Amino acid sequence: MAFFEFNVALSGLFAAQRGLHVTSNNITNASTDGYSRQILGQRADTPLSGFGVGMTGTGVMTTNVTRVRDSYLDLKLWTQNPKLGEYNIKVTQNSLIEGAFGEPSDAGFTKVFNDLFNSFDEVSKDPTSGAAKVSVRENLISFGKYYSNISTALTGYQQNLNYEIKATVDEINILGTRIQNLNSQIFQAEIYGDDANSFRDERDACIDRLSELINVEAKEEEKVVEGKVLKTFSVKIAGQTFVDHLNLNTLGVEVRGEKEQKIDDIVNTLSGLYEKLKNGGLTADEITNINEQIKLEQKKLTDLTPECTIDANGNITYNSPLEGKIEVLKVNPDFSTEIKTAGDGKFNVEDVDGLYNVIWQNGLSFDMGNANLSGELKGLIDLRDGCGTAESSEVTYNGIPYYISRLNGYVRQFAQTMNDEYSKDKDGTIMIAGGLTYDGKEVAYIERDESGKIVKCYDEDKNEIAGLSAGELEEIGNKYTTKYKLFSYSTGSSTGIPATGEDLVGNDYSKMTATNITISKEIYENASNMRSTYDTDKESGGDLFRNLSNQKDNSKMFKEGDPKDYMASIFSELGINAQEAIMYQSTQESVTGIIKNQRLSVSQVDLTEEFTNLIKYQQAYQASAKIMNTIDGIYETTIFKLGNF
C-alpha cells in the first residue's frame, strides 16, 4: 500500500493531461472542414477490496477518445448530395446554352429574322434595285451565320462536357483510391486498439465529395475474427461495388466507336480466313492452320467485349448498346460470308467525334442512361448526350444534341420551303432541275396540294404527265431538286464557296445542318443572279419577293406554327429546363443546408464548451497535483520528522 495515494493522484494527473490534449486539439481544429469534435472517455479504475470494510478506489482510467458524429445524418446528406451536384451542373450548362442562342438581345434571332424578311420587302418594292438585292444577299448570309454560330458553340460545349466527364471519372477514381487507403489505415489503427478519428473524418469528407459526383451507398460492417471485432467499410456507386474495404474497382472511359472499329477489323480478318477455306486448294496442314487462326481471332473478339457472341457455325452477333443485335458476320455452309458494320458507336447523329463512354475497368457494363444515376456525372452526361436523334438512347433529358437536332430540323424545313417558293413560276408550280423521266417525258414542274403532297407533274412544255401512280409521285417527291435556290450548304472549303445543292432533294435536306447552312452558289457569286418575279418572261417584278416575305407568317411551315413560333418553342423549352434546374437546385441547397446544419450542431466544435473543458481539466490537473503535494508532505513528516522524537 506504500505510495498508493501517489498512484491515485497520478492517474488523475494523467487523465487531466489527456483531457487538456483532447480539448486543445478540438480548439485548434475549430475551423477545419470535416473535423468532428472529440471527447475523452473516462471511468473510475478497478477498486481494491477493503477486506471487509468496503472497496478502496484506485483512481481514474481514460478509456478512449471518440468523435461526436451522427452516422444517420451522414447517410441523409450522402443521399441528397447527388441531386444537388446534378442540378448544379444543369444550371450552369443551361445558362451557357441560353447564352449561345443570344435571346433576348439586339443581335439574336429576332433581329436576324426580321432583317431578312425586311430585305425581302425592299426588293418587292423595287425589284431593279441592285442595292436591295445585295442587302438580301448579306441578310441571307447573316441568317446562315446565326445558326452556324449557335451550332458551333453548342458543339464546342459538347466537347467541353466530354472533357469534364473524363475529369469527373478521374476524380471519382482518386477519391476511391483515397478511401481504400484510409480503410487500410483505419483498420491497422483500430485492430490494435488505437483511435482513428482523424482518418475517419477524412474518409467521411471523401464520401461527402464523392456523393456530389455520383450517387453512393456507404456501409460499415462488423465481423468477428478469432474473437476480435473487425470493421470493414464498403462503398457502392451507381449500384455497383466501388470500394470493398481494401479492394477498389475503378471507372474508366473509352472513345465511342473504337470498340466497334476493332470488332469490324476482326470480322474482316475472319471473313478473309473463311474466304481462303471457300476457295479450296489447301493442304490438310494449311486448313488446320487457318482453323487455328480463326479460333485466335474469335478469342480476340470475346476478350474484347462480352457483347459479341459466336455460335457453333461461326456466326457472330454484336449486341450493340445503341442499335440492338447486329449479325456482323454470317458464315454460309460453303464458307462464303456476309458482313455488317458494328456501327460508329455514336448515340446521336449530331454528336462530335471522340466522345467518351464511361466503363468499369473490370469489364462490367456502366449504364450511362440509368434513371437511378445522379450526381455531377449524371448532369454532364444528360447535357452532353440528351435527346438527340438516337431513338435507342435512354438519356431523355433535353441536352445539347436535342437543341442541335431542333436547329437542324428548323434550317432544313425553312430552307426547303423557301427554295420551293423561290423556284415557283407564275402558275404556282415548282420548277425542278432535269433528270427525272417518266413514260419517256422529263419532269420539269411539280404541283403540290395544301398538305405538301405532289399531285401533278408537267413536262418542259407545261403538259401534264398523266397516268403517274401514287408511288411514282411519291418517288418524284423524294428525288426532285429545285431549279432555283435561296439556300444551300457550305462545302467546308477554305474559299467558302457553297455547294450547288443538287443533293438537296425532295424532303431530304440531310446534307444541310445548322452548322453549314448558307446561301445558294449562284447568289453567292453575284447578287444580280437573284430572281425577283415568278414570270420568266418579265425582266423584273416584285411578286416573288412579296410571297417570300409572306413566308414569315406561314403557319403551315412547321407543326409548331410559323418560323417564329418554331424558334419560340425552342426558347420556351430551354427556358423551362433552365428554370426547372434552378428550382431543383434551390430545393436541394435548402435540404442539404438543413442536414449540414444538423450535422454541425452535433459535430462542430463549440469554443465556449471547449474553454469550459479547458478550465475543468486545468483545475483537475491542479487538484491532482495538490493531492500529490499533500501526500508528499505527509510522507516527509512521517519519514523524516517522527524519528526525531
Side-chain angles (χ1 to χ4, degrees):
M1 295 293 290
F3 301 103
F4 174 73
E5 292 83 359
F6 268 118
N7 290 330
V8 172
L10 185 62
S11 70
L13 202 68
F14 286 150
Q17 186 181 42
R18 195 171 186 192
L20 286 169
H21 172 76
V22 171
T23 302
S24 64
N25 188 49
N26 284 341
I27 292 171
T28 54
N29 283 286
S31 59
T32 301
D33 288 339
Y35 178 80
S36 303
R37 67 187 177 93
Q38 299 176 5
I39 57 175
L40 177 66
Q42 60 184 59
R43 64 175 177 81
D45 207 346
T46 304
L48 296 176
S49 173
F51 303 105
V53 292
M55 304 292 285
T56 302
T58 58
V60 65
M61 172 186 288
T62 57
T63 55
N64 56 12
V65 178
T66 58
R67 61 181 191 142
V68 181
R69 192 91 176 192
D70 190 335
S71 59
Y72 172 67
L73 294 175
D74 286 334
L75 292 175
K76 282 178 65 177
L77 183 64
W78 298 338
T79 301
Q80 297 298 328
N81 262 347
K83 281 297 180 185
L84 176 60
E86 176 182 341
Y87 283 102
N88 282 339
I89 292 293
K90 288 180 176 177
V91 167
T92 302
Q93 296 302 323
N94 276 311
S95 176
L96 290 174
I97 295 173
E98 285 184 307
F101 279 93
E103 282 291 327
S105 74
D106 295 332
F109 167 76
T110 302
K111 182 179 187 309
V112 171
F113 185 79
N114 287 335
D115 285 350
L116 176 62
F117 282 92
N118 288 339
S119 66
F120 289 163
D121 282 336
E122 292 302 314
V123 175
S124 70
K125 295 173 185 176
D126 186 3
T128 62
S129 171
K133 289 185 177 181
V134 169
S135 176
V136 169
R137 178 182 182 275
E138 295 307 312
N139 283 309
L140 286 169
I141 292 173
S142 296
F143 184 83
K145 282 185 176 178
Y146 170 75
Y147 286 96
S148 178
N149 290 339
I150 295 175
S151 183
T152 301
L154 294 179
T155 300
Y157 294 155
Q158 187 182 43
Q159 190 68 70
N160 292 338
L161 288 169
N162 192 49
Y163 296 142
E164 287 190 45
I165 286 174
K166 185 177 186 304
T168 301
V169 168
D170 290 342
E171 186 178 359
I172 289 172
N173 287 337
I174 289 170
L175 290 168
T177 301
R178 186 60 187 143
I179 292 169
Q180 178 193 32
N181 292 336
L182 287 167
N183 282 348
S184 176
Q185 291 173 297
I186 292 168
F187 185 77
Q188 291 295 328
E190 294 182 347
I191 199 172
Y192 295 111
D194 293 330
D195 299 312
N197 297 323
S198 296
F199 291 150
R200 285 180 170 272
D201 281 346
E202 188 177 350
R203 185 174 69 184
D204 288 344
C206 287
I207 299 175
D208 282 353
R209 175 55 185 154
L210 184 64
S211 66
E212 293 174 359
L213 299 176
I214 193 169
N215 48 308
V216 304
E217 300 172 52
K219 181 170 63 175
E220 187 168 50
E221 295 179 312
E222 292 185 351
K223 297 179 181 178
V224 179
V225 179
E226 296 180 356
K228 289 186 177 181
V229 177
L230 305 179
K231 294 182 179 179
T232 60
F233 190 80
S234 61
V235 179
K236 287 185 176 181
I237 59 173
Q240 296 281 355
T241 299
F242 181 48
V243 179
D244 185 9
H245 195 45
L246 304 181
N247 299 311
L248 176 65
N249 179 25
T250 56
L251 292 175
V253 294
E254 66 176 9
V255 177
R256 286 180 184 168
E258 278 192 354
K259 178 174 65 178
E260 285 75 12
Q261 183 59 55
K262 291 177 181 178
I263 292 172
D264 288 343
D265 290 344
I266 294 173
V267 166
N268 286 326
T269 301
L270 284 168
S271 178
L273 293 170
Y274 284 119
E275 187 69 21
K276 290 181 180 179
L277 293 176
K278 174 192 169 187
N279 292 335
L282 302 172
T283 65
D285 288 341
E286 288 174 333
I287 293 174
T288 301
N289 184 42
I290 289 175
N291 285 328
E292 288 298 322
Q293 291 181 55
I294 288 173
K295 289 179 181 178
L296 287 174
E297 292 299 321
Q298 289 176 338
K299 186 176 186 305
K300 276 187 193 177
L301 198 59
T302 53
D303 288 345
L304 175 65
T305 173
E307 292 156 345
C308 278
T309 56
I310 306 171
D311 67 16
N313 296 320
N315 300 319
I316 299 172
T317 301
Y318 172 50
N319 189 17
S320 169
L322 302 178
E323 301 176 26
K325 292 184 177 180
I326 304 172
E327 191 173 41
V328 292
L329 178 65
K330 181 179 180 182
V331 183
N332 298 314
D334 64 349
F335 294 115
S336 62
T337 58
E338 300 171 32
I339 62 176
K340 291 182 181 178
T341 179
D344 59 9
K346 286 188 175 183
F347 274 31
N348 309 288
V349 174
E350 300 81 12
D351 289 345
V352 297
D353 293 331
L355 295 186
Y356 296 120
N357 284 333
V358 181
I359 60 171
W360 285 105
Q361 296 285 25
N362 65 1
L364 290 176
S365 174
F366 185 94
D367 186 2
M368 295 193 298
N370 190 333
N372 295 322
L373 180 66
S374 56
E376 291 182 15
L377 183 62
K378 169 68 169 176
L380 293 169
I381 290 172
D382 276 357
L383 266 299
R384 187 195 66 173
D385 294 340
C387 266
T389 53
E391 296 180 1
S392 59
S393 175
E394 295 180 7
V395 182
T396 58
Y397 189 80
N398 289 348
I400 286 173
Y402 173 79
Y403 294 109
I404 294 177
S405 176
R406 291 294 307 274
L407 291 175
N408 288 344
Y410 178 86
V411 300
R412 288 165 183 164
Q413 184 59 51
F414 183 81
Q416 181 192 348
T417 302
M418 298 300 283
N419 283 349
D420 280 357
E421 186 65 36
Y422 183 67
S423 197
K424 284 182 179 179
D425 66 3
K426 61 183 179 181
D427 299 320
T429 54
I430 300 171
M431 294 181 281
I432 69 172
L436 298 179
T437 303
Y438 291 85
D439 196 21
K441 297 180 180 180
E442 187 174 54
V443 181
Y445 302 87
I446 59 174
E447 182 180 333
R448 293 180 180 274
D449 63 12
E450 290 187 357
S451 67
K453 285 185 178 181
I454 295 177
V455 291
K456 292 181 180 180
C457 295
Y458 303 89
D459 63 16
E460 187 67 33
D461 297 324
K462 215 58 181 298
N463 297 314
E464 182 180 352
I465 303 175
L468 293 174
S469 67
E472 288 173 326
L473 289 172
E474 183 178 355
E475 184 180 25
I476 293 170
N478 292 330
K479 289 184 176 181
Y480 83 90
T481 181
T482 57
K483 184 175 182 179
Y484 303 103
K485 293 178 177 63
L486 278 177
F487 292 101
S488 183
Y489 61 92
S490 171
T491 60
S493 68
S494 57
T495 59
I497 298 175
T500 60
E502 292 176 355
D503 45 6
L504 297 177
V505 294
N507 295 322
D508 183 10
Y509 269 51
S510 58
K511 289 280 187 180
M512 179 183 288
T513 66
T515 302
N516 66 23
I517 182 175
T518 187
I519 62 174
S520 64
K521 186 177 180 180
E522 55 268 24
I523 298 176
Y524 171 85
E525 291 172 344
N526 195 328
S528 63
N529 291 334
M530 204 177 295
R531 300 179 69 214
S532 60
T533 179
Y534 289 118
D535 193 345
T536 55
D537 296 329
K538 293 182 180 180
E539 293 183 0
S540 63
D543 51 349
L544 172 56
F545 272 89
R546 274 194 295 274
N547 281 344
L548 285 174
S549 181
N550 291 337
Q551 297 302 313
K552 180 179 182 179
D553 301 312
N554 182 356
S555 60
K556 296 181 180 179
M557 189 180 296
F558 300 97
K559 66 178 182 180
E560 292 84 359
D562 64 36
K564 303 184 298 299
D565 294 333
Y566 186 102
M567 291 301 296
S569 71
I570 296 178
F571 300 145
S572 176
E573 286 176 320
L574 181 55
I576 290 171
N577 272 355
Q579 289 302 314
E580 181 185 68
I582 291 171
M583 179 187 70
Y584 281 123
Q585 180 196 45
S586 176
T587 300
Q588 289 304 119
E589 282 179 342
S590 176
V591 171
T592 56
I594 291 171
I595 297 172
K596 286 178 180 178
N597 288 335
Q598 290 174 337
R599 195 166 69 165
L600 286 174
S601 70
V602 173
S603 301
Q604 190 177 32
V605 174
D606 184 341
L607 289 176
T608 301
E609 182 180 347
E610 296 305 322
F611 288 148
T612 301
N613 288 339
L614 196 64
I615 295 170
K616 178 181 72 174
Y617 287 122
Q618 179 190 25
Q619 290 176 342
Y621 189 92
Q622 290 172 343
S624 295
K626 183 66 175 176
I627 292 172
M628 294 187 74
N629 284 333
T630 301
I631 299 300
D632 180 63
I634 292 172
Y635 279 117
E636 183 180 3
T637 300
T638 302
I639 295 172
F640 296 108
K641 293 183 179 180
L642 289 180
N644 294 332
F645 291 101

